Amino acid sequence: MVLNYDTPDDTLEAVASLMRSSWLDQHVVVVDNSTDPAERERLSAGLPGSVSYLPTGENLGYAAGNNRGIELLLDGGVEYVLVVNPDARVEGGTVEGLVRTAQRVGDAGFVGPRIVHGGSSPATVQSDGGRVDWSLGGATRHAAGGVRLEEAPHGIDHVDYVTGACALLRRRMLEDVGLMPEDYFLYFEETEHALAAAKRGWACVVDRDVRAHHYRRSTATVPSRAYVYYMTRNRAVFASRHCGEADAVDRAYAHLDETFLEPWALLVEERAPALSPAFAQVVAVAKEHGRRGVTGRFEGLEEFGVDDVAGWDDGR
């Protein structure tokens, strides 16, 4: 299943990679969150006839959009659902490898492949699943991120969560735990989902001998407003939900400032200085919303700054 939002070319390539899979017992679904009728028409016209196309008519967000596809597939009786980002490409044996691993690891609610940086030379790992550091207010990090493939470990590893770029979800886990939490709108959904599943005894595993490639089209010259806002706001929401300490959000934001916001602020100042005031505004609003526990889609993002700088306005 692939969730599209105004990236029909990427989505069609992701679908094509699934159609080349060695695992033939699959039903590919494309859920379309696009709001532009022309984009929806271009995508639907390019899809193979065997692919189910489900336009939502609005931008529901990552979890809600994927959930509509998951519901359709569960109604069709599938045992596993593979969620694939439009900017990800599976190898020919990826789907089969993930299903085989799920069959071997009976308590795995989530099975992920090794995610490789798309087009990197030398080839490097983007993620072997994710870990949560509670001492830093619920900081998340990608296991083995940046390690060269020839130096990376092999085999199956248990992780805290599987990254949403490519993840296999077991039907029985979904029936037991429920679908992805929709209130984050964008980012942290897969982590929240995995933690909820772990409380009910479901494991997250990564098969590091199975690979998918993630090209991260959303990463551009400067970060989009949506990326800055939702990563900042949702970090506080996540910390307040799962860290019991009174200063959890403060610790979360101190870490986010050092590792994410301050480096991006410097790059924005260097690459697009006209956007620096708007960047600071987005951060301030996101932090205030995060501390108040605001969730869902934020309709006010378009009010911040200039739209004609590449990478600033991705509309999400």
Side-chain angles (χ1 to χ4, degrees):
M1 179 184 66
V2 183
L3 175 66
N4 176 69
Y5 178 73
D6 286 346
T7 56
D9 293 335
D10 267 354
T11 298
L12 291 172
E13 288 188 27
V15 169
S17 74
L18 288 166
M19 301 297 286
R20 293 191 292 269
S21 172
S22 62
W23 187 259
L24 301 180
D25 185 17
Q26 63 176 345
H27 177 193
V28 179
V29 173
V30 171
V31 180
D32 194 357
N33 267 356
S34 298
T35 56
D36 185 342
E39 293 292 322
R40 292 199 296 267
E41 182 177 352
R42 190 155 70 92
L43 175 60
S44 61
L47 291 171
S50 59
V51 173
S52 294
Y53 175 64
L54 181 61
T56 65
E58 58 180 315
N59 184 9
L60 298 178
Y62 175 84
N66 275 309
N67 283 345
R68 302 295 83 77
I70 291 172
E71 290 169 335
L72 179 66
L73 288 164
L74 293 181
D75 286 345
V78 302
E79 291 301 316
Y80 304 99
V81 174
L82 180 67
V83 175
V84 179
N85 272 10
D87 54 0
R89 309 287 178 263
V90 299
E91 296 182 352
T94 300
V95 180
E96 182 171 2
L98 294 176
V99 172
R100 299 299 186 202
T101 300
Q103 291 171 338
R104 292 197 302 271
V105 185
D107 67 343
F110 305 82
V111 181
R114 165 168 285 163
I115 306 294
V116 179
H117 281 288
S120 62
S121 181
T124 57
V125 176
Q126 184 180 114
S127 171
D128 280 350
R131 308 281 187 187
V132 181
D133 188 337
W134 299 112
S135 69
L136 295 173
T140 57
R141 65 175 178 84
H142 290 169
V147 176
R148 291 192 180 194
L149 282 188
E150 64 266 22
E151 300 170 356
H154 295 275
I156 294 172
D157 191 25
H158 283 69
V159 294
D160 292 329
Y161 65 95
V162 174
T163 55
C166 182
L168 188 78
L169 284 60
R170 190 187 297 269
R171 179 191 187 93
R172 288 192 290 112
M173 181 277 295
L174 292 166
E175 292 174 338
D176 181 36
V177 178
L179 302 181
M180 295 184 191
E182 298 182 3
D183 55 348
Y184 283 97
F185 188 76
L186 188 64
Y187 306 125
F188 283 90
E189 306 92 332
E190 68 267 42
T191 314
E192 180 89 7
H193 201 199
L195 292 178
K199 291 179 180 178
R200 299 188 63 84
W202 294 101
C204 282
V205 302
V206 169
D207 189 332
R208 296 173 294 191
D209 296 312
V210 178
R211 297 189 301 193
H213 302 258
H214 190 203
Y215 289 85
R216 301 190 71 172
R217 304 297 194 208
S218 59
T219 301
T221 302
V222 296
S224 71
R225 289 175 288 195
Y227 183 51
V228 174
Y229 174 81
Y230 290 109
M231 284 293 288
T232 302
R233 185 197 74 179
N234 290 346
R235 177 65 186 278
V237 173
F238 183 75
S240 62
R241 287 181 178 179
H242 298 286
C243 301
E245 301 88 347
D247 66 342
V249 172
D250 290 335
R251 288 188 288 113
Y253 276 155
H255 179 260
L256 193 71
D257 283 340
E258 179 181 354
T259 62
F260 179 79
L261 293 172
E262 290 173 2
W264 268 124
L266 291 173
L267 284 172
V268 170
E269 179 62 33
E270 175 187 335
R271 298 172 178 176
L275 290 180
S276 288
F279 179 91
Q281 284 183 302
V282 171
V283 170
V285 170
K287 283 187 173 183
E288 191 265 333
H289 284 184
R291 290 186 183 280
R292 289 199 288 115
V294 174
T295 58
R297 183 176 181 177
F298 176 45
E299 301 290 349
L301 279 177
E302 67 277 2
E303 298 174 9
F304 296 98
V306 185
D307 288 348
D308 59 355
V309 177
W312 178 241
D313 185 18
D314 66 358
R316 282 189 278 183

